Amino acid sequence: MNHGILIVEDDKLLAESLRLNLEDHGYDVVGVTTEATEALELAEASNPLVAIVDIALEGALDGITVGAYLAEQRIAVIYMSGYFEKALKQGRDHAFDILSKTCRFEDLIATIERAAQERVRHSS
């Protein structure tokens, strides 16, 4: 399945690695950013099915704020953060799932698939 994915990650190297790996697995990455405001603009322009969001971002807004807004727009939010406990505490009410940055890539793919399937099912 090909799903539009937005990557919102403060670590540029990790963001680029995610983009390359996801594209190698047939996913359409609609945008990559380290900055919260740009993430909101990219989401509005591309309407991704899924957003992978870190909670530590550049700019005035944090990833929890970005993720909550994206979830309101019916984008499945997957938090992937080194601050797992904080993400769990502050994001569990609106996130599709919360993963540690140390998660296996296969686990991220499985979570993306579940999130995309749920979003497609709810929009039908």
Side-chain angles (χ1 to χ4, degrees):
M1 260 179 142
N2 191 349
H3 310 296
I5 299 174
L6 174 63
I7 299 171
V8 186
E9 169 59 54
D10 72 328
D11 180 331
K12 291 178 183 179
L13 186 60
L14 177 57
E16 183 63 9
S17 175
L18 278 173
R19 182 188 69 78
L20 291 171
N21 281 314
L22 289 168
E23 288 176 347
D24 283 349
H25 281 78
Y27 292 92
D28 177 26
V29 176
V30 298
V32 178
T33 185
T34 61
E35 205 274 322
T37 304
E38 185 179 12
L40 300 177
E41 292 168 359
L42 284 168
E44 188 170 318
S46 62
N47 191 30
L49 282 174
V50 176
I52 301 169
V53 181
D54 187 9
I55 65 169
L57 299 176
E58 297 175 8
L61 301 175
D62 67 4
I64 297 292
T65 303
V66 170
Y69 176 81
L70 296 177
E72 286 176 9
Q73 305 308 307
R74 301 179 53 102
I75 297 168
V77 174
I78 300 170
Y79 285 116
M80 193 170 82
S81 180
Y83 301 101
F84 182 79
E85 292 298 321
K86 183 177 181 181
L88 188 62
K89 184 184 228 183
Q90 296 179 1
R92 88 174 65 171
D93 63 330
H94 60 267
F96 177 79
D97 205 348
I98 300 169
L99 303 172
S100 169
K101 275 192 181 176
T102 60
C103 74
R104 297 177 331 143
F105 186 70
E106 296 79 15
D107 294 336
L108 176 61
I109 292 292
T111 303
I112 290 169
E113 285 299 313
R114 286 193 335 268
Q117 289 171 2
E118 184 173 303
R119 178 161 178 223
V120 169
R121 187 173 46 246
H122 288 317
S123 64
S124 302

